[in-house]
Amino acid sequence: MNAQGLYIGERSASALAEEFGTPLYVYDCASIARRVQQLREHMPPGLSLHYAIKANPMPELVRFLGERVDGMDVASAGELQTALDNGMAGADISFAGPGKRDEELALAIGTGVTLSVESPGELQRIADIGQRLGMQPRIALRINPAFRLKAAGMHMGGAASPFGIDEEQAPGVLQQVATLPVRLRGLHIYAGSQNLSAPHLVEAQNAIFELAFRLAGYFPDGIEWLNIGGGFGIPYFPGEQALDIAPIADNLDKRMAESESRLPGCEIVLELGRYLVGEAGVYLCRIIDRKVSRGRVYLVTDGGMHHHLAASGNFGQVLRKNFPLRVANHVDNPEKETVTVVGPLCTPLDLLGDRVELPKAGPGDLIAILQSGAYGYSASPLEFLSHPRPEQVLL
Amino acid sequence: MNAQGLYIGERSASALAEEFGTPLYVYDCASIARRVQQLREHMPPGLSLHYAIKANPMPELVRFLGERVDGMDVASAGELQTALDNGMAGADISFAGPGKRDEELALAIGTGVTLSVESPGELQRIADIGQRLGMQPRIALRINPAFRLKAAGMHMGGAASPFGIDEEQAPGVLQQVATLPVRLRGLHIYAGSQNLSAPHLVEAQNAIFELAFRLAGYFPDGIEWLNIGGGFGIPYFPGEQALDIAPIADNLDKRMAESESRLPGCEIVLELGRYLVGEAGVYLCRIIDRKVSRGRVYLVTDGGMHHHLAASGNFGQVLRKNFPLRVANHVDNPEKETVTVVGPLCTPLDLLGDRVELPKAGPGDLIAILQSGAYGYSASPLEFLSHPRPEQVLL
């Protein structure tokens, strides 16, 4: 950012809006590469880094990340196809999701993907489909742990859940596995998402390793693959601080040293989605109208909740908070105004910024929503009210 | 519904799922036609009935309704194109929305659509574009009233709003209109949505007519068109009762008689979206897995929030409530079970029914979500997690 306005990578937001039109999602490769580099520098050298495609399945972005990570996690046959089409080998892909259809399981088995098994029923279906295909499915048991990640954006674990097999049921299911024609590779244990507290993440990761150590005895050939999930958050709202990964890296170093004896030969996988791409994305829209209603100033833009559901506060948020907003073409205008930024839809839900102080702006100016690289475009009701889709550009 | 399971129109849900696959949206023409018929029977004969396409823009459904209503309301150029492509004349279409782009205004002016003007700035743009096109735009002023519809699902009016021109500002804007090369047709006054109380709707409609009578003096040639909005709700949740339209019809009869002298020659438009199509739609999905986690039974289906955001509780709901759910292939099974119905996505947001009592069901059985004809398919993040789209069938 400078006096000329917001820059995304080497390009000014104004020039990008001019070239590609608005509304527009811009993803900055350099930012993604820096994030991967930072993780590689801090994390233990043996740790595998996976990208969870669900955060952003744009093909060019998946290809870019595919050259920089050790594997990917997919959540549907569509995501699996995106990973394969963009250079990932099936052997480096894992597939989790509580409702995998038979044809999805068949595709995954046929391409050598590691399937995270979510229930005894799914385990049986995987074995049956493998037999029909004449192939041995590669599986990991996904565990619903008895603990939970404290202060996570979304909790996984510590309660009843549709995800994975309850920790208490795992020994019984592992005995069932031994009777089936599948290759049991290991465990997938995921405790929660969008967490900004290193101590909480350390505590959860320790619990994950402890659980894996306890369950190792049920693996006749040992655990060869352990996916410890991710859950690394990014700051969205005022008062939130970027996650400090140094203590997490230090702790993982210790756990991995311990694993060398307790889980010999086991690949440890850290699976990150939002953390890799969320901060690299900006959503740009243009102000169409400025109006005043009963003392409140509204900036009406050509972008809205149909493109960015999370920014409108309708993506699981209990209390709506404003994403970080900027007036992209003159971020430093000293004249400020408290405005409400809305989209073009005929619904009060189409709210991008509720009474936020911004440099004074009007029709033709650009609004940027930062932290929009994850769960933006693909997680939005793009066809709601039949507006055109935003472009997506990877810089 | 009978012992064989749920019927939609003349077809059983099982046969529909077999023919079209799951997940599937089914819309029942006969139900829509009955609803229109019922309105025609009750409402005053001179009242115009409009369909608000935003509720469900499926082209075949828009065509079906186009033969039965007097006009349509659109909220984007895309919806306008859908209306025109499916037999509506531009003269019978009105276009509202706070952020209409210049190219949308041009299309609307060129096709003779009535534009609901949402702000003084938009009024000036409309006049300028009309001059460039050499055409006289047809406009109505959309008013943000000082009153509000009590107990509405969404309030419009009574506060600051991005929608329309504040009632207090209307006289000034109407004076501005007189200086511009536009054809001022009338007013659009909308007070709120999804209301199940006839007394509240009657009260709001009375206030709308009073406001129109007050503003009529500012129309040199009189008001020829008055859109009183809609706001008729449908029951979604336990304890909600269907709207009793008889008292509304009685009251409208009186208001329209009064209008004959106070707004001579004025067309009165009732604009309904959800009320026309909401109850005609069913979302069908198939159970993939049944699992028990820490005492809770989960039914995991092939459908979820990516197809039906509203049923997941992430479409503006402050408190999530279950949409009406059925086990479509054996609705009358006497053996009941309290279950949580979820979709295939890797997120706790993908919840279709939270601890709901249903006939006992398992893999292969069908789950139906009723009241799904409005704000379903088109209002959902269809690409989230890259699953296939549901089919849509109009019976």
Side-chain angles (χ1 to χ4, degrees), chain A residues 76 99 101 118-119 144-145 159-162 164 166 168-169 288-289 291-294 314 378 383-385 388-389, chain B residues 76 118-119 125 144-145 159-162 164 166 168-169 288-289 291-294 314 378 383-385 388-389:
Chain A
S76 69
R101 290 171 282 118
E118 307 266 358
S119 76
N144 174 30
S161 165
D166 294 347
E168 309 85 288
Q169 297 179 21
I288 293 177
D289 201 1
K291 60 189 287 190
V292 182
S293 170
R294 298 191 177 123
N314 290 288
S378 69
E383 297 179 16
F384 191 41
L385 269 54
R389 289 173 175 236
Chain B
S76 68
E118 308 266 357
S119 75
R125 282 197 297 136
N144 174 30
S161 165
D166 293 348
E168 308 86 289
Q169 297 180 19
I288 293 177
D289 201 1
K291 58 189 287 190
V292 183
S293 169
R294 300 191 176 123
N314 290 288
S378 69
E383 297 179 16
F384 191 40
L385 268 54
R389 288 173 175 236

Side-chain angles (χ1 to χ4, degrees), chain A residues 31-319:
Chain A
S31 162
I32 297 172
R34 275 197 304 275
R35 179 51 57 90
V36 173
Q37 184 59 29
Q38 178 197 24
L39 286 161
R40 295 293 192 196
E41 281 168 11
H42 279 79
M43 292 293 160
L47 183 71
S48 288
L49 186 61
H50 274 216
Y51 174 53
I53 292 188
K54 63 173 73 69
N56 189 328
M58 185 208 194
E60 298 88 332
L61 183 148
V62 170
R63 178 172 292 272
F64 180 83
L65 264 170
E67 293 163 0
R68 284 158 182 82
V69 296
D70 305 301
M72 295 207 183
D73 185 73
V74 301
S76 69
E79 289 189 358
L80 173 51
Q81 202 60 60
T82 299
L84 293 170
D85 289 350
N86 289 285
M88 267 286 128
D92 297 324
I93 299 172
S94 54
F95 184 173
K100 303 182 202 82
R101 290 171 282 118
D102 285 356
E103 56 270 34
E104 293 186 300
L105 295 174
L107 175 65
I109 294 166
T111 50
V113 163
T114 297
L115 281 160
S116 284
V117 176
E118 307 266 358
S119 76
E122 187 177 72
L123 174 61
Q124 190 60 56
R125 283 196 297 136
I126 289 168
D128 292 347
I129 292 168
Q131 282 206 297
R132 286 206 296 277
L133 291 173
M135 299 183 78
Q136 193 179 38
R138 292 152 58 91
I139 67 163
L141 232 54
R142 180 168 176 183
I143 306 294
N144 174 30
F147 54 86
R148 72 194 313 180
L149 174 55
K150 284 179 194 154
M154 277 178 188
H155 292 290
M156 299 272 191
S161 165
F163 308 108
I165 290 157
D166 294 347
E167 177 180 335
E168 309 85 288
Q169 297 179 21
V173 176
L174 285 165
Q175 283 162 356
Q176 185 192 350
V177 171
T179 68
L180 294 171
V182 295
R183 171 149 164 224
L184 176 63
R185 299 193 64 217
L187 296 168
H188 176 191
I189 311 173
Y190 175 47
S193 76
Q194 177 50 24
N195 201 299
L196 291 168
S197 157
H200 290 155
L201 284 162
V202 162
E203 185 185 320
Q205 288 178 346
N206 285 343
I208 286 167
F209 276 91
E210 282 307 319
L211 176 54
F213 297 157
R214 278 204 304 283
L215 291 175
Y218 295 93
F219 285 71
D221 308 316
I223 295 181
E224 69 177 61
W225 190 84
L226 173 63
N227 181 328
I228 62 171
F232 291 18
I234 63 172
Y236 286 99
F237 307 119
E240 290 187 343
Q241 298 295 324
L243 177 66
D244 178 11
I245 62 167
I248 299 170
D250 287 349
N251 186 65
L252 276 178
D253 211 41
K254 293 192 196 102
R255 290 290 82 76
M256 287 183 67
E258 203 177 350
S259 296
E260 277 176 33
S261 58
R262 301 190 66 175
L263 305 173
C266 181
E267 177 186 8
I268 310 291
V269 173
L270 179 69
E271 179 189 321
L272 298 171
R274 186 196 312 264
Y275 191 71
L276 295 183
V277 298
E279 300 191 311
V282 175
Y283 177 66
L284 282 177
C285 51
R286 200 178 284 281
I287 299 171
I288 293 177
D289 201 1
R290 177 183 183 282
K291 60 189 287 190
V292 182
S293 170
R294 298 191 177 123
R296 197 183 290 189
V297 177
Y298 288 91
L299 301 178
V300 185
T301 75
D302 60 3
M305 73 176 289
H306 50 319
H307 300 161
H308 202 329
L309 189 64
S312 80
N314 290 288
F315 193 66
Q317 294 96 329
V318 177
L319 282 179

